[in-house]
Amino acid sequence: MTDQDILAGCTEILRDLLADDSIVLTMTTRREQVRNWDSLAYVNFIVSVETRFGVSFGVAEVESFEDVGAVVRRTQELLAAA
Amino acid sequence: MIDWLPVHPDVRAALKDAVAAPDPDRRQAQLVALAQYRLGYLETIQLDRALQQVPADTGSGLSPVRFALLASATVDHLLPAIRVAGVRRGLRIEIHVGPYGQYRQALLDPTSPLHRFCPQVVLLALSAREAIATIPLTATAADVAAALTAVTDELAGLWHQAREAFRADVLQQTILNVADPVFGSYDRLVPGAPARLIARLNDELADAAAANGVALVDVARASERDGLAEWFDATRWYQAKMEIAPQAAAAYGELVARVIAAQRGTARKCLVLDLDNTVWGGVVGDDGLEGIVLGEGSAAGEAHLALQRYAKQLRERGVILAVCSRNDPAIAEAAFRDHPEMVLERSDIAAFVATWDDKATNLRMIAEQLNIGLDSLVFLDDNPAERSRVRQSLPMVAVPELPDNAALFVRRLADAGCFEAVAFTSEDRQRGEQYAANAARDTLRQSAQSLDDFLRGLEMVVAFGPFRAVDVARITQLINKTNQFNPTTRRTTAQEVSAILADDRCLALQFRLLDRFGDNGLVSAMILRLDDREPEVLAVETWVMSCRVFGRQLEVEAMHIAIEAARRRGARSLVADYIPTPKNGVVRELYQTLGFTRSREAASADGATRWLLRLADHVTVPTHISRRAEQA
């Protein structure tokens, strides 16, 4: 799976979560740049990424992801290690 | 964790399709249908949002409930699942979440948003850490006892507060036992060990809840069954103070909505069993009586036996049992009579339908025979094709998914939680016998020369009196469960029924019907209320009667009794409304039959009619029921 595949999955998840099909995530998208991406939606996003890709992030990671790219790269690492 | 729900082939497409439906009625119907499937966390959020966007006045058949969730942990992620589980049971649950950890203030402050919301149901959910925070590991048994009593006493005070302020039904969540062992197995021997403390607190909560008429939402028990790891995710706790993990949201929503539904009398009443490969292994028509797999000595035989034992337990708690099988009726009945390993007896089965017709037709026949709604049925069948056909043609029947492995049938049926209860009344205990006695009554009916003969032969006695405290649970259950003989279909809570006991503006009567075949139990209740503006008029606010005693003249005798009581109160007339629903057509002519005249004054609701009876005009018609007055 490429980074682009994971990114596309992330975009789909966030579109579904926020009911907003205009959302297009890039590797550098930050949470505050997306309307309505509040803290509950962030937890829901993380939970949905974990479920979709079958990975599990650590407690330190979930509070330090700086942008969508960080989530994508960490997912890629976890998939590679699996 | 919600494995009893069937999997939808394409939820995404179905959701998009439903949301695109321009007609709100149609959109809502499609969304409600989707709620019957096993949805993931994100799908549940999507479905919930789509349902919330349907205009509230859309004719839906969903009954609204105002529900307050007062918690000391984050619960926002659980709300969609609670609402979707409500929709699954015909409820539109509107939720108010109290401010995080401040439920005391919210309950006590009459100007709080909680008070403005005025909930009908209040759920108190304490987190484990808060409940036992102040008790040290070194606490003695006596310290622990005192500390836990203080916790339950405080909670009981809050329960009382919620009830006083809103007349709400109160639910208490058990404490999720997230404590890790400090000693190991020895924990259970140390009074102050956290895991021990929580287990003990849960026991005490149950005792206090029973004593105070509070229902539990038992997340502790559910997490023991599913495994704590399914319910608690430490990362989510530290990240967002979610004590119930997002992946348990669907299971949690089920627990909550089931209890709310049970309080409203919408739990199911009847378990309908398929026979071949469900109640026993094999096909009795092909394999013969000796060939079916049942009983000790065979692993599969024991598994089928376990299902029979479980069904028998359900019968003992008041669930009606029925059989729906594609079979030769003589062969099917012979298995009940002649197979030595059968635990279920023919007399346990209130309706036995074995034909070669399709199962939907047979289920309709069962509902008709038992005089209950199709939405009271749970159908258990090992065959996926049959299950899916029944779901297709009778979507109101609950049809739990079953795995291929018969060893898991009981677990799956139990997990489906169709028969959730908030009371265990003496009527429940006797229901099985009552249905068996009905068979004897049917025999008498067939041998009687006329209806009059039959009614006389029953030797009926009505035992009646005012509502008593011991009857509150049963009366509440009867009012909330009765759909047919229920002219106003007003629902109530145990709190409201209790309040009527002490309300001297109300005349409230309960009726039990006995006959030579047994006691039918408390089968009718009537609440008449004094009209504020016209003190000589009593209004029939609620009148319900169990469908088991239809056609016995009890309505005539009960009305005579009510009229005499009304006269003693100085009333001169009665007024009663009939508010039509899809289910209460049986009482459309009730008041006319009882000698009331139609009022020109239109009652408020659509199609409703108002009826009047001047007591001076009333003529007593004799019945075949003799009376026995009971004191309060």
Side-chain angles (χ1 to χ4, degrees):
Chain A
M1 197 177 300
T2 66
D3 283 2
Q4 281 312 305
D5 294 334
I6 298 171
L7 184 63
C10 289
T11 298
E12 189 175 287
I13 287 167
L14 201 62
R15 285 177 174 184
D16 286 352
L17 263 176
L18 301 181
D20 182 353
D21 282 347
S22 72
I23 292 172
V24 181
L25 296 180
T26 69
M27 294 296 270
T28 57
T29 307
R30 302 170 65 90
R31 185 145 77 86
E32 55 274 18
Q33 295 167 340
V34 179
R35 211 154 55 90
N36 295 331
W37 199 357
D38 59 14
S39 58
L40 175 62
Y42 176 65
V43 178
N44 286 341
F45 174 75
I46 291 294
V47 169
S48 302
V49 170
E50 287 186 340
T51 308
R52 178 165 182 147
F53 297 106
V55 297
S56 180
F57 302 120
V59 68
E61 288 157 6
V62 295
E63 65 178 345
S64 61
F65 288 132
E66 295 217 324
D67 53 20
V68 172
V71 177
V72 170
R73 284 188 296 275
R74 183 60 186 149
T75 303
Q76 191 67 275
E77 278 170 30
L78 289 167
L79 287 173
Chain B
M1 290 158 83
I2 48 169
D3 298 341
W4 64 88
L5 293 171
V7 176
H8 193 283
D10 191 347
V11 181
R12 258 183 95 78
L15 255 171
K16 279 209 159 35
D17 189 44
V19 170
D23 170 35
D25 286 312
R26 195 180 153 72
R27 198 184 330 153
Q28 172 146 301
Q30 281 181 263
L31 294 170
V32 168
L34 260 180
Q36 301 300 335
Y37 289 93
R38 194 187 315 170
L39 303 178
Y41 181 66
L42 178 50
E43 291 162 349
T44 304
I45 293 171
Q46 291 178 276
L47 175 61
D48 174 57
R49 183 189 302 113
L51 278 162
Q52 300 264 73
Q53 285 168 354
V54 179
D57 56 351
T58 306
S60 63
L62 296 179
S63 3
V65 184
R66 289 189 311 280
F67 169 67
L69 178 47
L70 307 181
S72 55
T74 301
V75 292
D76 301 299
H77 61 302
L78 304 171
L79 309 185
I82 295 173
R83 285 187 290 253
V84 167
V87 167
R88 208 172 278 146
R89 289 166 178 73
L91 301 173
R92 179 190 276 279
I93 302 180
E94 190 193 340
I95 308 180
H96 170 87
V97 176
Y100 181 90
Q102 295 179 38
Y103 46 84
R104 289 180 195 82
Q105 297 89 317
L107 273 171
L108 297 171
D109 173 8
T111 66
S112 67
L114 173 67
H115 280 252
R116 281 200 297 281
F117 179 71
C118 194
Q120 295 160 295
V121 183
V122 175
L123 169 59
L124 283 162
L126 249 69
S127 84
R129 286 156 193 80
E130 183 189 17
I132 59 159
T134 58
I135 308 174
L137 185 62
T138 52
T140 64
D143 296 342
V144 165
L148 293 184
T149 304
V151 174
T152 44
D153 282 354
E154 203 220 333
L155 279 172
L158 295 174
W159 299 342
H160 187 68
Q161 187 70 30
R163 231 176 236 171
E164 287 286 293
F166 317 119
R167 279 208 184 157
D169 279 319
V170 181
L171 315 181
Q172 174 66 49
Q173 191 163 304
T174 55
I175 316 291
L176 200 63
N177 198 339
V178 299
D180 292 302
V182 179
F183 300 95
S185 297
Y186 188 64
D187 265 31
R188 220 182 263 279
L189 282 64
V190 179
R196 171 77 177 123
L197 280 174
I198 294 172
R200 181 141 171 220
L201 178 55
N202 280 333
D203 284 345
E204 298 202 0
L205 279 179
D207 290 342
N212 288 281
V214 163
L216 290 183
V217 172
D218 200 352
V219 296
R221 174 76 184 115
S223 70
E224 280 171 19
R225 259 170 95 71
D226 300 331
L228 187 63
E230 298 281 339
W231 279 78
F232 178 71
D233 180 337
T235 308
R236 299 301 155 238
W237 171 256
Y238 296 117
Q239 186 187 5
K241 293 292 170 284
M242 293 173 172
E243 191 168 59
I244 309 257
Q247 69 263 25
Y252 178 78
E254 273 285 311
L255 287 191
V256 173
R258 275 174 198 170
V259 177
I260 296 176
Q263 281 170 330
R264 271 152 188 70
T266 56
R268 309 257 167 185
K269 296 174 184 168
C270 173
L271 174 64
V272 185
L273 294 158
D274 165 53
L275 294 179
D276 292 332
N277 288 316
T278 303
V279 162
W280 51 69
V283 177
V284 69
D286 296 341
D287 306 335
L289 194 61
E290 306 76 26
I292 60 174
V293 182
L294 182 68
E296 316 293 339
S298 144
E302 288 184 34
H304 288 286
L305 202 58
L307 179 64
Q308 292 199 17
R309 291 209 176 94
Y310 188 69
K312 192 115 175 166
Q313 282 180 318
L314 289 177
R315 180 188 177 275
E316 283 165 15
R317 55 151 280 202
V319 173
I320 308 164
L321 299 184
V323 158
C324 173
S325 167
R326 289 164 69 83
N327 245 314
D328 181 311
I331 295 176
E333 298 228 21
F336 276 74
R337 205 177 48 239
D338 300 333
H339 198 290
E341 299 278 355
M342 285 290 290
V343 165
L344 287 174
E345 297 166 64
R346 178 60 187 84
S347 60
D348 294 329
I349 310 296
F352 197 109
V353 177
T355 71
W356 298 105
D357 278 338
D358 73 293
K359 295 209 167 171
T361 308
N362 288 349
L363 286 164
R364 277 206 189 85
M365 196 187 298
I366 287 169
E368 210 164 290
Q369 272 185 27
L370 297 173
N371 205 3
I372 57 179
L374 282 160
D375 57 4
S376 294
L377 304 183
V378 177
F379 178 52
L380 203 66
D381 194 317
D382 69 293
N383 184 327
E386 298 281 16
R387 290 199 298 267
S388 123
R389 266 197 292 274
V390 168
R391 281 191 202 110
Q392 197 85 48
S393 43
L394 301 174
M396 66 297 266
V397 175
V399 187
E401 275 299 88
L402 284 184
D404 291 338
N405 182 355
L408 305 176
F409 285 1
V410 173
R411 160 119 205 181
R412 192 58 68 80
L413 174 60
D415 281 348
C418 300
F419 303 109
E420 188 79 25
V422 287
F424 186 25
T425 64
S426 58
E427 268 68 26
D428 291 331
R429 285 168 227 261
Q430 291 160 14
R431 189 162 299 123
E433 280 68 44
Q434 287 163 352
Y435 273 92
N438 272 349
R441 293 187 186 100
D442 281 343
T443 313
L444 174 68
R445 191 195 309 262
Q446 278 152 22
S447 67
Q449 302 290 320
S450 66
L451 180 63
D452 222 40
D453 248 20
F454 164 63
L455 293 173
R456 190 174 326 108
L458 280 173
E459 300 164 17
M460 291 180 287
V461 177
V462 59
F464 66 95
F467 286 9
R468 299 166 301 185
V470 294
D471 301 322
V472 167
R474 168 59 182 163
I475 289 168
T476 310
Q477 184 188 53
L478 187 65
I479 291 174
N480 287 334
K481 275 192 173 184
T482 304
N483 298 315
Q484 300 183 71
F485 195 110
N486 194 344
T488 53
T489 319
R490 270 192 199 107
R491 303 307 190 192
T492 190
T493 65
Q495 314 327 318
E496 287 173 351
V497 174
S498 295
I500 286 169
L501 261 58
D503 187 343
D504 56 13
R505 307 177 58 74
C506 281
L507 176 61
L509 293 164
Q510 46 90 10
F511 305 90
R512 317 168 61 86
L513 185 67
L514 298 84
D515 62 31
R516 59 184 267 216
F517 298 106
D519 183 352
N520 292 281
L522 200 166
V523 286
S524 182
M526 205 192 276
I527 301 169
L528 300 101
R529 197 180 287 273
L530 219 53
D531 192 307
D532 285 330
R533 288 154 304 172
E534 298 171 82
E536 291 175 339
V537 178
L538 274 168
V540 183
E541 183 177 278
T542 294
W543 187 12
V544 292
M545 188 178 295
S546 162
C547 53
R548 276 179 288 139
V549 295
F550 284 5
R552 307 269 193 89
Q553 302 179 324
L554 181 60
E555 64 279 14
V556 178
E557 199 58 38
M559 185 49 83
H560 288 171
I561 290 167
I563 285 167
E564 287 169 21
R567 281 194 182 123
R568 283 196 298 276
R569 298 280 293 260
R572 286 169 181 265
S573 58
L574 298 186
V575 56
D577 287 344
Y578 167 67
I579 304 169
T581 71
K583 290 182 171 176
N584 72 357
V586 68
V587 287
R588 185 173 297 120
E589 314 291 332
L590 172 70
Y591 290 112
Q592 189 168 7
T593 314
L594 293 173
F596 285 61
T597 50
R598 174 100 179 253
S599 162
R600 276 185 304 270
E601 182 189 350
S604 53
D606 284 347
T609 51
R610 175 154 291 175
W611 299 85
L612 293 174
L613 180 71
R614 280 166 37 98
L615 299 188
D617 297 346
H618 178 66
V619 186
T620 303
V621 183
T623 69
H624 292 293
I625 305 174
S626 55
R627 294 186 192 179
R628 197 174 76 204
E630 288 175 337
Q631 294 313 308

